[in-house]
Amino acid sequence: MITTIDAAPQGQSMHFSALGEQLRTLAGQSVKIEHCLGQRYIAAGIKDIRVEIEGIPGNALGAYLGAGSSITVRGNAQDATGDTMSGGTITIHGSTGDAAGYGMRGGVILVEGNAGYRAGIHMKEYGETCPKLVIGGRAGDFLGEYQAGGIIVVLGLGNQAGAAPLGRFCGTGQHGGRMFIRGEVLPPELPAQVAVRKADAADRTLLQPLLAQFSAAFGADLAALESSPYFLLTPNSSNPYTDLYAIY
Amino acid sequence: MDLYVHPEFEIVRSEKKCIACRACERQCANCAHGYDAASGSMESYDEKCVNCHRCVTLCPTKALKIVQTQHTFRPNANWSNDTIRELYLQANTGGVLLSSMGNPRPLPNYFDRILLNASQVTNPSIDPLREPMETRTYLGKKAIPLVRDANGRLTENLPPQITLTMPLMFSAMSYGSISYNAHASLARAATALGICYNTGEGGLHRDFYKYGPNTIVQVASGRFGIHGDYLMAGAAVEIKMGQGAKPGIGGHLPGKKNIGEVARTRMTPDGSDAISPAPHHDIYSIEDLRQLVYSLKEATGNTKPIIVKIAAVHNVAAIASGVARSGADIIAIDGFRGGTGAAPTRIRDNVGIPIELALASVDARLREEGIRDDISLVVGGSIRSSTDWIKAIALGADACYIATGALLALGCHLCRSCHIGLCNWGIATQRPDLVKRLNPEVGTEHLVNLVKAWQHELKEVMGGMGINSVEALRGNRLMLRGVGMTQEELDVLGIKHAGV
Ligand code: SF4
Ligand code: SF4
């Protein structure tokens, strides 16, 4: 059974805390939110809930999201999507704002369109838990800043030919994880912490399941994605600041 | 060739008393003692000694003492030995000076210049041994509209509170910066005392979830070890925006300490640096802070008070006013003498302001703006004794945080070498053989003793003032007088000079 919540009854936007309260009682179930009008923190911290959103969710959608949850947005999302999420899936049939996947440590975020600044910043992984962020279009500046784990993929679909599908300062302070960037063009300068090479067949075994998931979600041409070239960005060192200090 | 830096300490061994049992050699993780088999006698390596007193304490014949070296540069009031030594070190390495524990510089301490009042003749004092004395404290928002139901009864709408048996908590120290056994001691002591300890930013080890009601879980910019269960585990969630020992600077646990259980608890790759930069990269304004505060309230179903911790900096009153408007339930302010597991020396010693002044100005500002009851005020950095604590409460604090004092109770000898990771007392280390030296049962007992003693001293001082509830002490500046202060200092503190 799917519970439907009208987030703007009589044309009046429901307060986020009232919406949150309802959603918390619906853990373990499927929910459809209609007329979403920028309510923040939707499904924050909830485990095992399935939410479909029509309209525009506000900041911090699915923050601290737990295992077994899924959120599907039929529209764009705003800032801090999936902030510190630890499991579940967020699928956005549109673009997302800044700081998507900040500090995420598990689960998957699939963005059909673009992501703003600082996507995937501070992503972490431990053992089996490995967060994944796939951006169909372009990513803004500071992609994967301080990345300490997880996988970020930027596909650059619909990106202007010959232009890098991401902004400046990608991977500043990166000390773990990997970023796959589709295409032949990277920004002219990457920070010293970042090592770049062409993804080889072994690397692609990590990438392939994410491409499949992306194409299943948004109907993208899987064969075309699979046959494209990718750069792989990894950190030069997992201890980038060891030499900074004089210890006494 | 490197510039020569003469050792700061000398190990003095009485040849007469030493029986060459080699205990000091085994005890010293810094390897400052050795044994010469040929002569059958002990050797000392002064350059390795950090003056932590482990060997001195455990030497069976009390043959050892550590003294500050008398070797000196030509005395110079401007260029002290330390300054020259540090400069040489930087010239040798090109590194940022790193050190630990609180600011050791002889800057003015206002607690020491504040004196407490007591009743004489009128308003008689109260004997805490005979009379009940209330020290119970609730932290959280108090300013709420009174709402009555149809029958005129008050509706229960008080936002979530932290309940403490006394206005004291152990402040944030992460697992990683301190050991498993140190955390175990803090958690058990907090539970036994009915107060709270604080996880710091390193996550919560799975063994310690059972102490949840007496735990504050922290969220910092690196977001280590955070997930839904973690947020729900404690009595409150603290957002770390700043730390008194290093305002404007983030945390950095070196990869060699971020291993095994520490990495697992932080949920980061084993052996990688655990970096939490100074800013949260999603917070650039009070509105952004508000977003993090409310995302945590939502994620915890509005069941946990949210604390925002900031460092005491120049504009602390204005910042605190903003924090009070961010929706936070509690603001924690950390003074410039607060401890740290590692901080750039120059930052630790030069950035920030004394907590006494910060506290007084924040309390005054929030009262002026009529928002004091919207938020509770917790201060730390550094509260060294029950009287620092009592003075802080009379200056307006709802509760105090202690950390360095708590570590001292666990056996810390304030050698300020935590950043090296070889704490001989099993506190600021992850080396299993060293961690074992701290017995959590003994640690718990010492912490409980310390805090119980302070609580009793609090009651005695309150009794002397003729006050029987800590509520009546809070912000009661009439109980304070300053000595040897300028009018400006007195004005900031909001107290009168002694004799007036
Ligand atoms: S512990 Fe004391 S008696 Fe034993 S070797 Fe060291 S200095 Fe000598
Ligand atoms: S915790 Fe250990 S290393 Fe740090 S100051 Fe205390 S005794 Fe020294």
Side-chain angles (χ1 to χ4, degrees):
Chain A
M1 199 193 84
I2 299 180
T3 310
T4 303
I5 300 176
D6 185 350
Q10 287 106 44
Q12 290 294 314
S13 169
M14 183 189 271
H15 192 268
F16 70 77
S17 65
L19 181 56
E21 214 163 292
Q22 274 200 51
L23 288 174
R24 285 193 291 277
T25 65
L26 295 168
Q29 303 182 33
S30 297
V31 187
K32 184 168 179 187
I33 300 175
E34 290 176 339
H35 308 123
C36 191
L37 276 178
Q39 282 90 352
R40 294 179 170 193
Y41 326 115
I42 291 177
I46 305 183
K47 277 187 215 170
D48 192 24
I49 190 169
R50 282 154 297 285
V51 185
E52 192 171 333
I53 300 172
E54 280 180 3
I56 310 237
N59 291 352
L61 167 73
Y64 322 101
L65 194 70
S69 289
S70 70
I71 299 176
T72 306
V73 183
R74 311 248 170 236
N76 296 325
Q78 296 187 18
D79 294 345
T81 298
D83 182 353
T84 323
M85 70 189 266
S86 51
T89 309
I90 300 179
T91 310
I92 298 166
H93 292 265
S95 291
T96 188
D98 294 343
Y102 182 141
M104 77 186 276
R105 51 182 23 91
V108 184
I109 300 178
L110 303 170
V111 184
E112 185 171 12
N114 303 328
Y117 286 162
R118 298 187 303 276
I121 175 171
H122 282 299
M123 272 169 75
K124 308 272 190 297
E125 69 181 74
Y126 184 81
E128 304 283 275
T129 357
C130 177
K132 289 144 193 150
L133 168 63
V134 186
I135 299 160
R138 245 185 83 82
D141 293 354
F142 306 105
L143 174 75
E145 198 180 17
Y146 291 111
Q147 191 186 10
I151 306 174
I152 298 174
V153 182
V154 181
L155 298 176
L157 295 170
N159 193 41
Q160 195 188 326
L166 58 156
R168 296 164 302 162
F169 314 115
C170 166
T172 310
Q174 187 192 17
H175 53 292
R178 330 130 195 85
M179 292 183 246
F180 288 98
I181 314 293
R182 196 177 76 102
E184 309 270 9
V185 195
L186 280 180
E189 269 185 81
L190 287 170
Q193 293 93 352
V194 180
V196 186
R197 62 183 163 84
K198 295 264 181 191
D200 60 23
D203 301 329
R204 281 165 178 272
T205 56
L206 279 178
L207 176 65
Q208 201 285 329
L210 295 174
L211 297 179
Q213 221 175 329
F214 182 88
S215 111
F218 305 118
D221 179 350
L222 182 58
L225 290 178
E226 283 176 346
S227 59
S228 301
Y230 289 85
F231 289 106
L232 175 61
L233 277 52
T234 55
N236 272 329
S237 155
S238 59
N239 312 103
Y241 300 114
T242 312
D243 296 334
L244 187 64
Y245 299 110
I247 311 251
Y248 67 119
Chain B
M1 195 185 78
D2 275 355
L3 293 161
Y4 176 64
V5 182
H6 191 81
E8 215 177 333
F9 304 105
E10 281 163 26
I11 301 169
V12 182
R13 188 187 320 267
S14 157
E15 297 300 336
K16 226 167 79 198
K17 291 186 189 163
C18 177
I19 53 170
C21 69
R22 301 177 72 175
C24 47
E25 185 191 5
R26 286 190 299 276
Q27 289 295 331
C28 187
N30 299 304
C31 304
H33 299 275
Y35 177 67
D36 178 38
S39 66
S41 63
M42 302 302 296
E43 291 179 340
S44 312
Y45 315 112
D46 291 347
E47 70 284 2
K48 295 189 172 151
C49 177
V50 298
N51 195 4
C52 77
H53 290 192
R54 181 74 186 179
C55 59
V56 174
T57 311
L58 289 169
C59 169
T61 64
K62 295 285 167 272
L64 288 168
K65 66 176 174 181
I66 311 296
V67 298
Q68 190 153 20
T69 184
Q70 289 185 340
H71 172 82
T72 179
F73 294 99
R74 187 161 196 168
N76 185 325
N78 188 35
W79 289 92
S80 70
N81 283 339
D82 281 348
T83 309
I84 298 174
R85 203 183 281 126
E86 287 165 352
L87 190 147
Y88 281 174
L89 185 71
Q90 290 194 292
N92 284 340
T93 63
V96 170
L97 295 168
L98 194 70
S99 50
S100 41
M101 287 316 231
N103 187 342
R105 292 175 69 211
L107 289 154
N109 187 308
Y110 290 93
F111 284 134
D112 290 345
R113 298 199 214 157
I114 295 176
L115 298 172
L116 296 164
N117 194 29
S119 326
Q120 297 294 293
V121 188
T122 58
N123 182 24
S125 43
I126 304 168
D127 180 358
L129 296 178
R130 268 183 36 210
E131 313 281 344
M133 285 281 188
E134 189 55 84
T135 60
R136 184 167 292 270
T137 299
Y138 299 92
L139 301 178
K141 275 185 201 303
K142 306 291 190 305
I144 40 146
L146 294 183
V147 181
R148 293 180 187 279
D149 66 16
N151 302 320
R153 286 181 188 283
L154 280 178
T155 315
E156 168 77 75
N157 62 344
L158 189 69
Q161 308 277 321
I162 305 178
T163 308
L164 304 168
T165 54
M166 67 191 96
L168 193 73
M169 300 186 284
F170 300 133
S171 49
M173 290 177 277
S174 71
Y175 175 43
S177 77
I178 60 171
S179 65
Y180 178 96
N181 284 359
H183 256 214
S185 308
L186 290 163
R188 289 191 208 173
T191 304
L193 290 160
I195 61 171
C196 285
Y197 86 109
N198 187 314
T199 62
E201 60 174 309
L204 179 60
H205 193 284
R206 62 194 178 286
D207 294 353
F208 301 146
Y209 273 76
K210 57 175 180 269
Y211 305 111
N214 297 88
T215 305
I216 291 167
V217 297
Q218 207 182 48
V219 171
S221 64
R223 303 280 208 272
F224 300 114
I226 298 169
H227 50 88
D229 294 345
Y230 169 84
L231 296 175
M232 289 304 287
V237 181
E238 179 172 276
I239 298 171
K240 178 187 177 182
M241 296 302 302
Q243 182 178 347
K246 41 181 171 176
I249 293 281
H252 174 199
L253 189 75
K256 62 176 193 282
K257 288 193 197 173
N258 190 27
I259 45 168
E261 287 290 298
V262 174
R264 175 173 174 167
T265 305
R266 289 185 182 232
M267 301 174 162
T268 52
D270 223 284
S272 83
D273 285 1
I275 299 170
S276 49
H280 290 243
H281 289 93
D282 52 350
I283 300 184
Y284 293 87
S285 64
I286 295 294
E287 289 70 28
D288 290 347
L289 174 64
R290 187 180 176 82
Q291 180 177 315
L292 185 57
V293 168
Y294 275 94
S295 79
L296 290 166
K297 289 192 177 198
E298 281 297 311
T300 56
N302 292 308
T303 58
K304 312 284 178 192
I306 308 296
I307 308 172
V308 172
K309 177 178 177 178
I310 58 170
V313 290
H314 298 181
N315 280 327
V316 68
I319 298 161
S321 161
V323 171
R325 293 163 203 280
S326 74
D329 300 273
I330 300 163
I331 179 168
I333 306 176
D334 197 14
F336 84 138
R337 282 196 200 82
T340 172
T345 310
R346 295 294 177 240
I347 305 272
R348 182 195 66 180
D349 293 356
N350 293 282
V351 182
I353 65 169
I355 192 59
E356 305 90 307
L357 303 177
L359 158 62
S361 67
V362 167
D363 179 66
R365 175 74 171 256
L366 297 181
R367 280 187 288 118
E368 255 167 53
E369 295 183 358
I371 51 173
R372 181 64 185 82
D373 291 337
D374 286 347
I375 196 154
S376 286
L377 188 50
V378 179
V379 301
S382 72
I383 304 293
R384 304 156 299 171
S385 65
S386 63
T387 41
D388 286 355
W389 176 34
I390 292 163
K391 290 168 189 174
I393 291 170
L395 283 172
D398 289 289
C400 287
Y401 260 147
I402 60 165
T404 304
L407 293 191
L408 288 172
L410 292 179
C412 162
H413 280 57
L414 221 42
C415 69
R416 306 204 302 262
S417 311
C418 318
H419 57 292
I420 299 172
L422 294 175
C423 174
N424 274 318
W425 296 95
I427 301 167
T429 182
Q430 301 304 326
R431 219 173 83 177
D433 60 317
L434 300 178
V435 173
K436 255 195 343 223
R437 295 179 182 180
L438 174 61
N439 178 337
E441 248 154 66
V442 178
T444 303
E445 192 187 319
H446 285 166
L447 286 167
V448 170
N449 285 346
L450 174 79
V451 173
K452 284 233 155 112
W454 283 21
Q455 184 184 26
H456 194 75
E457 288 173 338
L458 164 68
K459 288 180 178 180
E460 294 218 305
V461 171
M462 285 187 349
M465 292 169 173
I467 288 174
N468 63 3
S469 160
V470 79
E471 284 299 326
L473 177 64
R474 191 157 291 132
N476 192 340
R477 287 176 166 74
L478 289 174
M479 293 298 138
L480 305 174
R481 287 291 188 277
V483 280
M485 287 194 220
T486 64
Q487 192 54 48
E488 182 136 46
E489 290 169 317
L490 293 166
D491 289 346
V492 174
L493 290 165
I495 62 174
K496 291 182 174 166
H497 201 275
V500 183

